[in-house]
Amino acid sequence: MLEQLDQIEQTALSGLASVLDEQALQDWKVAHLGRSSPLMKVFDGLGGLVKEERPAIGRRANEVKRLLESAFAEKSEAMRQLALQGALQSERLDVTLPGRPLRQGRLHPATQTLREVYRIFAEMGFQVYRSREVETDEFNFQLLNFPPHHPAREMQDSFYIDAGVERGDNPILLRTHTSPGQIHAMREFAATNPENPPPIRIILPGMCFRYEQITARSEMQFNQVEGLAVGYNITFGDLKGTLSDFARRMFGQNVRSRFRAAHFPFTEPSAEMDIECFVCGGEGCPVCKRTGWLEILGCGMVHPVVLRNGGYDPTRYTGYAFGMGPERMTMLRHRIEDIRYFWSNDLRFLEQF
Ligand SMILES: [Zn+2]
């Protein structure tokens, strides 16, 4: 009988070892600890044993019962832990994973170039002066020495605004260049001391508009940055020095520049400034059209008529002015071949900067 109990114990324990799921565990419990299990049959049969054998068999049967019960409890707990581990693995929430990044905006490439220009001129003592985008013909042309019907206007086809009243030779238009700001600025500075107007050192950035055929090289809207310095004894040498230094700070310390004679109604003498091509180093390449030079701005000494229109006496004051296109400079630096990318708002283009 004792051997039978050993047999029951071993069969039960080896059966338990191969239990893998909850259902099998419950089946095992019925089979080995249930009402009709071999172990319970032993208990049932205790009464039929001879008196001397009864205590030893009873003790051993109880021992096997406790052992199987604790083995069951242990297995049950182990399976519960296993299930929990499984759930933790499969439903894991990893709080250390990096979050999904928010899409961040960025500065427009033209704005980036503008800010670089501001920074360089700020270091040289120039302030930023902003003026209106909607102008009168008087400020956009006449006060800048473009009389009505002057042929130089041909280069600046304009968007006129229907003001609802006949304005004769002074219609309203979208400014075609930032130069009308020169008159606004000079008059504002001169108003502070009309007898001895203070010197001026400003840059005038902003959007300009021309009635142009839109092509890879011309847009109907674009930025300009104008510069204006007015004071005593300002010479063409100051103009060349300032702009050459600007070019070195903007395009690299070793960049060479040159000035070519040009014509603008509001400056005299006038020049266009080229810098040595930074793509080929002056050797000649498609970007510089094999000349080795890139045109970056127009400039000149402020015309006496313009100084007078601004409230500055041209017999006592001189000054220089210059104007450049940030989009064109951005195109040269990044070898962008089509100016239409700037304002078509295509993220594939804008996200490259
Ligand atoms: Zn080149």
Side-chain angles (χ1 to χ4, degrees), residues 35-95:
R35 229 10 26 248
S36 47
S37 62
L39 182 60
M40 288 306 149
K41 294 247 169 62
V42 172
F43 280 107
D44 291 344
L46 278 179
L49 294 175
V50 287
K51 209 175 172 186
E52 291 73 32
E53 281 186 323
R54 220 180 283 162
I57 301 292
R59 206 179 308 118
R60 176 67 182 135
N62 270 317
E63 196 181 285
V64 172
K65 182 166 179 270
R66 275 199 304 278
L67 200 129
L68 292 189
E69 280 170 348
S70 77
F72 172 80
E74 223 170 84
K75 181 77 177 181
S76 184
E77 175 64 17
M79 282 179 58
R80 203 182 65 79
Q81 287 295 336
L82 207 67
L84 188 66
Q85 284 297 325
L88 283 175
Q89 287 291 334
S90 63
E91 299 161 22
R92 184 146 67 160
L93 180 69
D94 185 351
V95 294

Side-chain angles (χ1 to χ4, degrees), residues 309-331:
N309 288 338
Y312 283 75
D313 178 356
T315 63
R316 292 162 60 210
Y317 291 89
T318 53
Y320 62 77
F322 55 86
M324 62 188 96
E327 285 89 339
R328 179 170 156 71
M329 287 198 290
T330 310
M331 288 171 80

